[in-house]
C-alpha cells in the first residue's frame, strides 16, 4: 500500500514546474525536470493493509512497483505490473498513460493487500450477512465520495482559470486547492496518523505470522509469544526506518504483491478442507462494529491513492467507470475470500488468516514472502510520515532524525503490543483515519467549493441529491468513527 502539497514526487513520478519548500531527492526549492510517467503503482498501509500503497519507478524499460513521496506526504499509485499486463499498446506505454482496463487493475491493486487477510476474521466476528452488507454499502459510498472529490476539484479549477489540472494530481494537492492551507494541514496530520497505525498493524502481522513458524519448528518459548515477537521484530523495523533510499524495497514489493495472491489461494484451499457448518457462525453481530465496518473501510477507503491513477489515464473522463469496475471486482473477491475463509475455519479463525496455515515448506515459504512484502513496504509508507515530522521540526540532521525514527517505531511497537490483534488494528485505522480521508474530507471539499462557486456565479455545483445525501455521509462517517473507537 500504497499518501502532498506540491505536484513533484520526491522519488519518482511526474513533476510540475514548482519549487519545493524543503528537500526533494537531494535538492531544496529546486525546479524539477519533467519525467515520463509510466503505469502507476498502488498499498498504503492502509493495507492496509492498506499495504497496497505505492508508486512507479521507471528503471530503464521496467516499471517497478513501490511508493513515492510528494513533499513529505505519502502518494499511492497504481501498480505498474498490473497496468502493463492489461493490454496496453507500445504507444500508450511510450507516453506514460494507461487505458481504462489498466486503470481497473490499478484500482484493484490499491484496494487489495495484506489487509485482506483480516477478512475471514471480520466475517466470523461481524456476522456473514452484516459484513456482506457493510462491504456492498461501503463500496457504493466510496464511489459517491470519490465523485464528490473530483467534482470539487474541477469546480475549483474552473473558478480560478490561472490554475492547471496538471498541478493538482494527488489527494493532498486537491485538499489544498479545495480546502486551503489549514485544510491541507489537517489532511497531512490524518495521513501521518494513518501511517503510524499501519506501522503498528504491520508489526502485529509480522509477529502473528512468525509465531506460527516458531511454534511449528519448536523455537524458544519466548519467540512463540506474539507480544515478545513484536519487540523482537522492532530492531529490524528501526533499521528499515533509517533507510533514505527505497529502491531495493520497491523491487521486493513486486514479489510481495504476488505473495498476497498466492497466500489468499492457499488460505482458501486450506479452509475448504474443513467441513462447512453454517450454524457455527452468526449472521449479524452489531456490537462488533469495528470488525465488520473498520476492516472493510481499511480496504475500500483508498481515496488518497486514486487521484494519481486518474491523472495518468489517457482518457481521464473514463476514470469513474474504471473505478466502479475495480470496486465491483474487489467486492466479489473479498466477499468470496472472507466468507469462505470464515466458514472453513469457523469462529476460531485468527485475525491474520495466513497464520491458519500449518506446517509444510510451501506454507512457510508463503508466510515468509508475505513478511518480506510487509518489511519492504514499511519504509515506503513511514518515510512520508518521517519527512512531514522532520519538516515540522524545522529539519533534522541524520542523528536526531534517526533518534526520532527509533522513538516512532518503538511507540508503534508499544501500540501493537497493547492491541495484539491485526484485525482490531486494521479496523481501528480503517474505521477512523481512512473513514475521515475517504468519507468526511471529500464531502467537506464539495461544501467548501460549492460555497465559493455559489458566491461567484450564483450557480451551485451540488445537485438536489447531493444536498440530501452528502449530510447523511457526514453523519454516517461521524457515527462510524465513534463506534469503531468504542467497540475496538
Amino acid at each position: 500500500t500504497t499518501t502532498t502539497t506540491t505536484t513533484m514526487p520526491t522519488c519518482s513520478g511526474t513533476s510540475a514546474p514548482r519549487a519545493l519548500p524543503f528537500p526533494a531527492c537531494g535538492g531544496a526549492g529546486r525546479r524539477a525536470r519533467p519525467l515520463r510517467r509510466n503505469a502507476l503503482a498502488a498499498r498504503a498501509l492502509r493495507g492496509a493493509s492498506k499495504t497496497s500503497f505505492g508508486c512507479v519507478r521507471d528503471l530503464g524499460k521496467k516499471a517497478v512497483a513501490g511508493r513515492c513521496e510528494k513533499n513529505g506526504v505519502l502518494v499511492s499509485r497504481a501498480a505498474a505490473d498490473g497496468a502493463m499486463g492489461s493490454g496496453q499498446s507500445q504507444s500508450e506505454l511510450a507516453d506514460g498513460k494507461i487505458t481504462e482496463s489498466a486503470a481497473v487493475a490499478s484500482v484493484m491493486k490499491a484496494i487489495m493487500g495484506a489487509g485482506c487477510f483480516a477478512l475471514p476474521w471480520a466475517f466470523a466476528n461481524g456476522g456473514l450477512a452484516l459484513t456482506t452488507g457493510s462491504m456492498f454499502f461501503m463500496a457504493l459510498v466510496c464511489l459517491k465520495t470519490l465523485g464528490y472529490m473530483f467534482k470539487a476539484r474541477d469546480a475549483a479549477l474552473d473558478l480560478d482559470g490561472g490554475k492547471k489540472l496538471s498541478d493538482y494530481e494527488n489527494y493532498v494537492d486537491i485538499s489544498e486547492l479545495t480546502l486551503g492551507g489549514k485544510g491541507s494541514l489537517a489532511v497531512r496530520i490524518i495521513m501521518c496518523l494513518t501511517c503510524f497505525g499501519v506501522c503498528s498493524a504491520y508489526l502485529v502481522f509480522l509477529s502473528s505470522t512468525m509465531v506460527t513458524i516458531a511454534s511449528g519448528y519448536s523455537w524458544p518459548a519466548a519467540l512463540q509469544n506474539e507480544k515478545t515477537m513484536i519487540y523482537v521484530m522492532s530492531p529490524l523495523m528501526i533499521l528499515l526506518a533509517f533507510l533514505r533510499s527505497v529502491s531495493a524495497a520497491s523491487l521486493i514489493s513486486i514479489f510481495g504483491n504476488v505473495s498476497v495472491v498466492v497466500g489468499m489461494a492457499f488460505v482458501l484451499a486450506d479452509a475448504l478442507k474443513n467441513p462447512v457448518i453454517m450454524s457455527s457462525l452468526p449472521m449479524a453481530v452489531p456490537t462488533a462494529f469495528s470488525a465488520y465496518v473498520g476492516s472493510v473501510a481499511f480496504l475500500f477507503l483508498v481515496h488518497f491513492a486514486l487521484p494519481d491513477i486518474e491523472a495518468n489515464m489517457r482518457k481521464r473522463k473514463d476514470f469513474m467507470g474504471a473505478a466502479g469496475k475495480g470496486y465491483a471486482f474487489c467486492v466479489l473477491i473479498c466477499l468470496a475470500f472472507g466468507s469462505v475463509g470464515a466458514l472453513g475455519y469457523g469462529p476460531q479463525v485468527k485475525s491474520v488468516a495466513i497464520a491458519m496455515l500449518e506446517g509444510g515448506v510451501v506454507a512457510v515459504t508463503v508466510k515468509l514472502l508475505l513478511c518480506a512484502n510487509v518489511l519492504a513496504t514499511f519504509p515506503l509508507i513511514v518515510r512520508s510520515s518521517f519527512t512531514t515530522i522532520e519538516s515540522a521540526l524545522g529539519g533534522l540532521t541524520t542523528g536526531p532524525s534517526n533518534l526520532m525514527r527509533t522513538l516512532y517505531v518503538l511507540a508503534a511497537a508499544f501500540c501493537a503490543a497493547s492491541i495484539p490483534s491485526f484485525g482490531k488494528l486494521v479496523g481501528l485505522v480503517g474505521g477512523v483515519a481512512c473513514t475521515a480521508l475517504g468519507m468526511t474530507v471529500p464531502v467537506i471539499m464539495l461544501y467548501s467549493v460549492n460555497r465559493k462557486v455559489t458566491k461567484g456565479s450564483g450557480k451551485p455545483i451540488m445537485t438536489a441529491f447531493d444536498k440530501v445525501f452528502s449530510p447523511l455521509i457526514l453523519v454516517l462517517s461521524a457515527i462510524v468513527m465513534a463506534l469503531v473507537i468504542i467497540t475496538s
Side-chain angles (χ1 to χ4, degrees):
T1 190
T2 310
T3 313
T4 70
T5 62
T6 69
T7 55
M8 189 187 82
T10 61
C11 303
S12 65
T14 318
S15 57
R18 287 203 287 161
L20 291 177
F22 57 86
C25 282
R30 211 176 31 181
R31 293 182 183 275
R33 291 166 46 188
L35 301 176
R36 282 194 180 277
R37 231 174 319 190
N38 212 318
L40 297 175
R43 296 314 169 221
L45 250 148
R46 253 41 193 341
S49 255
K50 236 104 179 272
T51 47
S52 54
F53 291 88
C55 72
V56 173
R57 299 179 180 279
D58 192 2
L59 304 179
K61 294 184 179 179
K62 295 184 179 179
V64 180
R67 285 173 178 72
C68 72
E69 213 181 319
K70 289 186 180 179
N71 197 15
V73 179
L74 186 64
V75 176
S76 301
R77 294 198 168 182
D81 50 328
M84 294 179 69
S86 304
Q88 286 181 271
S89 66
Q90 290 299 318
S91 62
E92 289 165 340
L93 289 176
D95 67 6
K97 298 296 183 179
I98 61 175
T99 61
E100 182 180 358
S101 59
V104 172
S106 298
V107 170
M108 294 179 66
K109 191 83 169 184
I111 297 171
M112 306 293 288
C116 291
F117 292 99
L119 285 175
W121 176 87
F123 273 85
N125 286 272
L128 295 174
L130 197 54
T131 307
T132 298
S134 171
M135 193 172 291
F136 279 104
F137 180 75
M138 186 64 72
L140 293 174
V141 171
C142 286
L143 290 172
K144 192 62 182 176
T145 54
L146 184 62
Y148 284 166
M149 180 172 66
F150 288 128
K151 179 187 285 190
R153 179 201 62 186
D154 294 342
L157 289 172
D158 290 340
L159 195 62
D160 187 344
K163 295 178 179 178
K164 298 179 180 179
L165 177 61
S166 59
D167 290 337
Y168 299 93
E169 295 186 342
N170 65 77
Y171 189 88
V172 176
D173 284 346
I174 294 174
S175 71
E176 182 181 15
L177 173 68
T178 57
L179 301 176
K182 292 182 179 180
S184 178
L185 176 61
V187 168
R188 285 171 171 272
I189 292 172
I190 296 172
M191 285 188 167
C192 283
L193 293 175
T194 303
C195 289
F196 182 83
V198 172
C199 176
S200 297
Y202 279 5
L203 280 165
V204 175
F205 183 94
L206 289 169
S207 65
S208 299
T209 304
M210 292 303 297
V211 161
T212 63
I213 297 176
S215 300
Y217 287 88
S218 300
W219 290 4
L223 297 179
Q224 298 181 36
N225 180 275
E226 288 191 16
K227 289 187 177 182
T228 302
M229 185 63 79
I230 287 173
Y231 290 109
V232 169
M233 298 296 296
S234 294
L236 177 58
M237 301 292 269
I238 291 172
L239 291 176
L240 290 172
F242 291 166
L243 288 177
R244 266 68 177 180
S245 173
V246 294
S247 299
S250 300
L251 287 167
I252 296 173
S253 288
I254 294 178
F255 300 100
N257 292 329
V258 175
S259 72
V260 171
V261 177
V262 174
M264 291 176 71
F266 270 90
V267 168
L268 283 180
D270 187 62
L272 290 173
K273 293 178 183 178
N274 304 314
V276 175
I277 304 175
M278 289 290 294
S279 59
S280 65
L281 294 179
M283 296 304 292
V285 184
T287 55
F289 196 82
S290 178
Y292 65 85
V293 172
S295 298
V296 174
F298 187 82
L299 289 176
F300 289 166
L301 290 170
V302 291
H303 291 54
F304 44 80
L306 303 182
D308 297 276
I309 302 174
E310 185 251 9
N312 284 268
M313 288 186 68
R314 290 182 63 83
K315 297 180 180 179
R316 299 177 71 152
K317 63 182 179 63
D318 294 335
F319 175 73
M320 287 305 298
K325 294 175 185 177
Y327 269 89
F329 288 136
C330 286
V331 166
L332 295 177
I333 294 171
C334 291
L335 179 60
F337 178 72
S339 59
V340 172
L343 287 170
Y345 290 126
Q348 72 275 13
V349 63
K350 297 179 181 179
S351 64
V352 182
I354 196 72
M356 298 298 293
L357 298 179
E358 297 180 357
V361 175
V362 175
V364 171
T365 301
V366 171
K367 291 178 182 179
L368 291 176
L369 282 173
L370 286 169
C371 288
N373 178 41
V374 168
L375 288 170
T377 304
F378 170 74
L380 304 175
I381 289 179
V382 296
R383 185 178 179 184
S384 64
S385 186
F386 292 154
T387 309
T388 300
I389 295 171
E390 290 167 359
S391 175
L393 295 175
L396 298 175
T397 58
T398 301
S401 173
N402 286 343
L403 176 60
M404 179 275 292
R405 295 174 185 222
T406 299
L407 294 175
Y408 183 101
V409 173
L410 291 177
F414 177 78
C415 178
S418 301
I419 314 175
S421 169
F422 182 65
K424 288 184 178 180
L425 270 172
V426 163
L428 189 60
V429 175
V432 179
C434 293
T435 296
L437 294 173
M439 292 177 67
T440 309
V441 173
V443 174
I444 297 176
M445 288 178 178
L446 184 66
Y447 282 170
S448 176
V449 177
N450 183 71
R451 185 176 62 255
K452 295 176 184 176
V453 172
T454 303
K455 286 182 179 179
S457 65
K459 296 180 180 180
I461 61 173
M462 294 179 66
T463 64
F465 179 78
D466 293 338
K467 292 178 181 178
V468 174
F469 191 62
S470 58
L472 296 178
I473 294 179
L474 279 180
V475 173
L476 178 63
S477 64
I479 293 174
V480 167
M481 287 186 281
L483 289 180
V484 164
I485 292 173
I486 293 171
T487 60
S488 292

